[in-house]
Structures are given as structure tokens and as C-alpha cells.
């Protein structure tokens, strides 16, 4: 028989050691003190560099707004991507709203007054403070860098004056002076006192600029090659400055070649037509034709010599062929090699009705049957 009694909840048992209200109050005070101490330590701690991990919020504490506003680098939010700016998008500078034109985005403005040419590129003292070339004192020839406190324009004017002074051009060109003692030099053509100082100093020729340009057949300049080829002068004669004064200039073809040696035409002709050399212009022409004919004879002799060598080699080869049993006329078969038939035209035989052809050399006949 089933019992009809319903199950009942067992009575609640009290803990063996119940927490008193005094203990609850002390636990709550300890928790509040620990919380206050934690907040104080977090506020006084120095900011540390991010190591890739973002701060984890404490349990029961809400994250501050700045920490939640930081976007991790792995985010695909296009709003966090910095747009192009005036530095061609290379830096993340704030966009002020004014952007440079496209062709000036890579433009860099340099202060050339603070730069020095070190013969290996332009560098500034700020870029390389330990470079001795930028801070070297003036050399024995007075060559030095731009002094401090001098502008670039003043430095360019100083260099221009130095070049003009070295070349004795412009305001530094030698002029006339009443203080010059001795006999005055005059132009050998018109008697002018305004002489070309380069002709006077280097070429020992007193002539003015006007007469020099008016008579190029006398005062034009000849190179060393022209004097050697046209007037048949030798190198020792051209190198003798007492015999033929010369003026040297940089080579216009290659800067690292030797300087050009320039001579005045009338001085070269005077020496070439004098008794010390050829005697006259006609004698120079005769000597020129003689050397030209000798050069032609040498060329013809060399050609004939090579032709004779070729003939000798041909005769030797012909002799060897003759010893081998060859010979005959040009185009004949030489030696006892294998015979190759040269068949003639095919002719039909009326008796047999077959085609017959014959070798032109040996006379052999063969018949052909056409299908």
C-alpha cells in the first residue's frame, strides 16, 4: 500500500560559527581601503611605452574613454588611415588645409650660403661637423671656403674677381700707364699703343687687336699639328721657345689631354722660308711634293711586294697540282678523283622507242624507261 504522506523540506541548519556584524563591518572597511590604495597607485605610476598589448580593465571597474578610443593597428577601419598631406604623404603631420601643388610636393629649399663644395658633392657643416675639408684653413694659394658672415652673392662676386685676376681679363687686363719707364711698345702695323697683352707677353709679337683681326693671314694662330704638317717642321724645332715662341691653352677636345701649343703664322713662315730651314716657299713646295711622291712610291712598293707573294703562293700550288697529275686549262678537272657523269639531253630511239642519253666526258650511254 502506497503512503500518502508528502515530502517536506528539511529544516535549515545554522552555521557552526556565524559571522557577526562586527566582522562584516571590518571586511567592508578593508575592501574599501584596498580599493582606494589601488586607485592611488594607478594614478601615480609613470606612463609606460605600449608593448603591443592593450590595458585590461580591472574587474568591477569601467574602462576610461581614452583607452577605449585607441584603435589597434590590426583594425581595418579606413577612418583611422592618415590621408595625404603637404609632405607627399610621408609623414602624419596635421593637415592645415593648404596643400602644395603637385610639382612642388618633392621640392626642398636649401640654403646655399651654408654649403661648401668639397669636390665630391655639396655638404654643409651641420651635416658633417667632423669633416676637415669643410673647416680647413686657407691654402698657400689663398683658396678657402666661404667665410662666415658673407652672403652667397658676395662670395660669387669674390670668386669672379679672382678668376678675372688670374686670367688678366676685364678690369685686370694690362693697360697703359704714364709711369712706365723705358721705350713704349707700339703695334708693328699701325703704331698703336693698345697692344694685345697675350701676343706681347707669350708670343713676343707687338700687335693690336684691330690689326690682328684685320690681317688673319699673318697673325692667326697655328696648332702644333698644322705647323708640323704644312710647314714640315720637326718636334725639337717646335719645342724650342727661343726659336718659335708659343702660347699654351687648354685642349678643347679633352680636358685631360695635353695643352695646345699655338704659334703665330708669320713667325712660323719666317723661320720655314728662311735659309735655316727651306730657303723659300717654292723650295718648301718642292720638298712637300717630294715627300708626297716618296709616300706614294712606298705604298706602291708595298702593294707590289704583297702581289708578288701572292703570285709565288699561286705558282707553288700550281706546281703541286702538276706533280699530282693535274694541269690543263682553267676549269679542267685536276687529279684522279672520282668521275662524275655529265649527262646530255635525252633522245628517243626510233627502233626501240626508249630514251637514250650520253655522258659528255666519257661517252657512256644509258637507256631510260619512262612510265
Amino acid at each position: 500500500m502506497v503512503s500518502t504522506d508528502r515530502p517536506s523540506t528539511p529544516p535549515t541548519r545554522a552555521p557552526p560559527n556565524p559571522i557577526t556584524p562586527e566582522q562584516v563591518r571590518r571586511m567592508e572597511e578593508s575592501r574599501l581601503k584596498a580599493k582606494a590604495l589601488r586607485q592611488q597607485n594607478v594614478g601615480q605610476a609613470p606612463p609606460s611605452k605600449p608593448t603591443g598589448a592593450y590595458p585590461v580593465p580591472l574587474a568591477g571597474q569601467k574602462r576610461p574613454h581614452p583607452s577605449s578610443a585607441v584603435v589597434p593597428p590590426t583594425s581595418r577601419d579606413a577612418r583611422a588611415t592618415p590621408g595625404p598631406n603637404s609632405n607627399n604623404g610621408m609623414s602624419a603631420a596635421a593637415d592645415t588645409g593648404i596643400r602644395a601643388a603637385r610639382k612642388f610636393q618633392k621640392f626642398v629649399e636649401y640654403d646655399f650660403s651654408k654649403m661648401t663644395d668639397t669636390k665630391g658633392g655639396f655638404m654643409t657643416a651641420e651635416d658633417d661637423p667632423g669633416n676637415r675639408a669643410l673647416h680647413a684653413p686657407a691654402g698657400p694659394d689663398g683658396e678657402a671656403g666661404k667665410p662666415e658672415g658673407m652672403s652667397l652673392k658676395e662670395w660669387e662676386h669674390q670668386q669672379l674677381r679672382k678668376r678675372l685676376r688670374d686670367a688678366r681679363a676685364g678690369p685686370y687686363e694690362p693697360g697703359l700707364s704714364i709711369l712706365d719707364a723705358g721705350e713704349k711698345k707700339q703695334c708693328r702695323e699701325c703704331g698703336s699703343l693698345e697692344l694685345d697683352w697675350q701676343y706681347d707677353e707669350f708670343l713676343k709679337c707687338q700687335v693690336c687687336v684691330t690689326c690682328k683681326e684685320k690681317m688673319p693671314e699673318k697673325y692667326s694662330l697655328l696648332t702644333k699639328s698644322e705647323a708640323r704638317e704644312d710647314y714640315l717642321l720637326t718636334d725639337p724645332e717646335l719645342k724650342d721657345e727661343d726659336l718659335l715662341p708659343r702660347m699654351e691653352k687648354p685642349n678643347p677636345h679633352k680636358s685631360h689631354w695635353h695643352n695646345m701649343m699655338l704659334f703665330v703664322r708669320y713667325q712660323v713662315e719666317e723661320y720655314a722660308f728662311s735659309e735655316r730651314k727651306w730657303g723659300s716657299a717654292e723650295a718648301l713646295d718642292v720638298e712637300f711634293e717630294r715627300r708626297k711622291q716618296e709616300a706614294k712610291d712606298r705604298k706602291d712598293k708595298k702593294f707590289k711586294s704583297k702581289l708578288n707573294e701572292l703570285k709565288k703562293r699561286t705558282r707553288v700550288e700550281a706546281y703541286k697540282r702538276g706533280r699530282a697529275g693535274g694541269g690543263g686549262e682553267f676549269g679542267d678537272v685536276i687529279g684522279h678523283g672520282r668521275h662524275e657523269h655529265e649527262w646530255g639531253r635525252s633522245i628517243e630511239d626510233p627502233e626501240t622507242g626508249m630514251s637514250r642519253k650520253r655522258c659528255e666526258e666519257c661517252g657512256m650511254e644509258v637507256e631510260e624507261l619512262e612510265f
Side-chain angles (χ1 to χ4, degrees), residues 26-40:
R26 276 190 261 175
M27 292 172 59
E28 187 67 20
E29 288 179 359
S30 299
R31 187 182 69 81
L32 293 177
K33 288 181 180 180
K35 184 177 179 181
L37 183 61
R38 174 67 177 174
Q39 292 180 355
Q40 181 180 0

Side-chain angles (χ1 to χ4, degrees), residues 59-60 73 77 88 114 174 210 215 279 285 319 325 347 357 367 370:
D77 190 0
N88 201 17
K114 297 181 180 179
T210 304
M215 291 178 285
D285 294 339
Y319 175 74
I347 300 176
K357 62 181 180 180
E367 293 182 351
E370 297 180 0

Side-chain angles (χ1 to χ4, degrees), residues 71-173:
V71 181
T74 56
S75 175
R76 293 181 176 271
D77 190 0
R79 294 173 297 177
T81 304
N85 48 34
S86 59
N87 199 16
N88 201 17
M90 299 302 295
S91 65
D95 191 358
T96 57
I98 302 177
R99 297 182 180 180
R102 183 182 297 273
K103 61 180 180 179
F104 292 114
Q105 286 184 354
K106 297 183 179 181
F107 175 76
V108 179
E109 184 177 1
Y110 295 98
D111 188 2
F112 290 98
S113 62
K114 297 181 180 179
M115 291 190 177
T116 305
D117 187 6
T118 60
K119 307 303 180 183
F122 288 90
M123 296 185 64
T124 61
E126 291 80 2
D127 295 336
D128 193 2
N131 195 339
R132 298 181 180 179
L134 297 176
H135 309 282
D141 55 350
E143 184 68 22
K146 186 180 73 64
E148 298 182 359
M150 180 182 293
S151 63
L152 180 61
K153 189 173 182 180
E154 295 174 352
W155 173 245
E156 292 177 351
H157 282 302
Q158 181 178 349
Q159 293 298 314
L160 178 59
R161 287 195 300 268
K162 184 178 182 302
R163 288 194 296 268
L164 293 177
R165 190 185 305 109
D166 296 340
R168 302 179 66 180
Y172 301 98
E173 182 178 354

